[in-house]
Amino acid sequence: MHGLTVMPPDATLLVIQPPDRVVSALKIITDRQGQGYALVVGEGTCDNFRVDWADIERTLEMVFA
């Protein structure tokens, strides 16, 4: 959250969250500031979740496209 205060206007926030904790609060903030937002949802629970690197890589490809 604190990183948003110093993120450049053309930056994109990449969020990685477990499936039982997905929230849109950061999306609302980045939209209001004119910044990009990317989300990867993992598998598991908030106590133990994993994300495939391929999912992160594909998401980053879309961010930099």
Side-chain angles (χ1 to χ4, degrees), residues 1-48:
M1 180 80 171
H2 298 295
L4 291 172
T5 61
V6 296
M7 256 175 51
D10 60 345
T12 297
L13 178 68
L14 172 61
V15 178
I16 302 170
Q17 294 181 324
D20 58 350
R21 292 284 214 175
V22 176
V23 294
S24 62
L26 295 173
K27 169 77 167 110
I28 294 167
I29 294 169
T30 55
D31 283 354
R32 185 177 59 210
Q33 296 181 169
Q35 296 163 323
Y37 180 85
L39 172 66
V40 177
V41 179
E43 297 177 5
T45 66
C46 65
D47 293 325
N48 185 17

Side-chain angles (χ1 to χ4, degrees), residues 56-65:
I56 295 172
E57 190 173 38
R58 281 192 302 272
T59 303
L60 289 172
E61 287 173 2
M62 288 187 276
V63 167
F64 294 119

